[in-house]
Amino acid sequence: MTLADVTYLPETPAHDLEIDDINAEAFGPGRFARAAYKIREGGPHDRTLSFVAMNDGQVIASVRMTPIAAGEGRAQMLGPLAVRPDFKNLGIGRKLVAMALEAAAEAGEAAVVLVGDEPYYGPLGFARIPRGQVSMPRPVDLNRLLAHEIAPGAVAKLSGEVCHADLAKTQPQRETEPA
Ligand SMILES: CC(C)(COP(=O)(O)OP(=O)(O)OC[C@H]1O[C@@H](n2cnc3c(N)ncnc32)[C@H](O)[C@@H]1OP(=O)(O)O)[C@@H](O)C(=O)NCCC(=O)NCCS
């Protein structure tokens, strides 16, 4: 197997079962208790910004993106990112992150956030979100809350609890105070 045998495709529903299996293998049953999982339960991920790596007709790695809201701020949340053990350390994870970031920029997204290891994601263009600026629906190590800014000032607009963007849309609009 060489990297020439790996192809990258936009995700489709046909990949779903294999992606579930890859995520189960990478994260185990504990994945359901994670803060990011809770946010992803709020609505669908964005397949147009989500990608798979394929080898010999099999999905060997996946990255997903989910639209989120935090206060006035909007962004995409990257994850899960997972690579089959036999294919780790070949640059496939890095390539999927780069594809997701490029697609997000092309789609006019303002920022990409994630919960992950800074030593891995830092060199890929992510930096810590200042402590206390945003919170998550379940406890997370705040050192792992990272963002990649696309539109200048977009990360500063993220504030308060992060939720799926569809839930923010359904929040009742504040009524104008009577004079
Ligand atoms: C993390 C993961 C996606 C990386 O994918 P990958 O294709 O193996 O990684 P790449 O080939 O792009 O990068 C490999 C490099 O990243 C480093 N790396 C991998 N995981 C890392 C981590 N958690 N923290 C810091 N560095 C890490 C490797 O040591 C390697 O370093 P080198 O280039 O100096 O040798 C993959 O290991 C995986 O699926 N892990 C289990 C699920 C997971 O933890 N996902 C991330 C959630 S935040």
Side-chain angles (χ1 to χ4, degrees), residues 98-146:
M99 289 178 75
L101 294 185
E102 192 181 332
E106 279 174 12
E109 297 291 339
V112 177
V113 305
L114 59 79
V115 182
D117 294 333
E118 193 181 21
Y120 183 71
Y121 289 104
L124 305 183
F126 287 82
R128 281 188 205 178
I129 298 175
R131 288 179 93 86
Q133 184 181 320
V134 296
S135 61
M136 297 289 275
R138 288 178 180 156
V140 290
D141 175 353
L142 294 177
N143 294 330
R144 290 169 50 80
L145 211 43
L146 311 177

Side-chain angles (χ1 to χ4, degrees), residues 40-92:
R40 288 194 288 263
E41 276 184 324
H45 63 286
D46 186 340
R47 286 194 200 273
T48 67
L49 306 179
S50 302
F51 297 91
V52 291
M54 308 285 298
N55 174 251
D56 202 15
Q58 313 278 315
V59 180
I60 54 160
S62 152
V63 66
R64 280 182 163 164
M65 296 269 268
T66 301
I68 57 153
E72 295 298 307
R74 296 290 180 274
Q76 290 281 331
M77 186 173 69
L78 186 150
L81 169 69
V83 179
R84 286 279 195 208
D86 286 352
F87 295 89
K88 280 183 181 178
N89 295 316
L90 295 171
I92 295 170

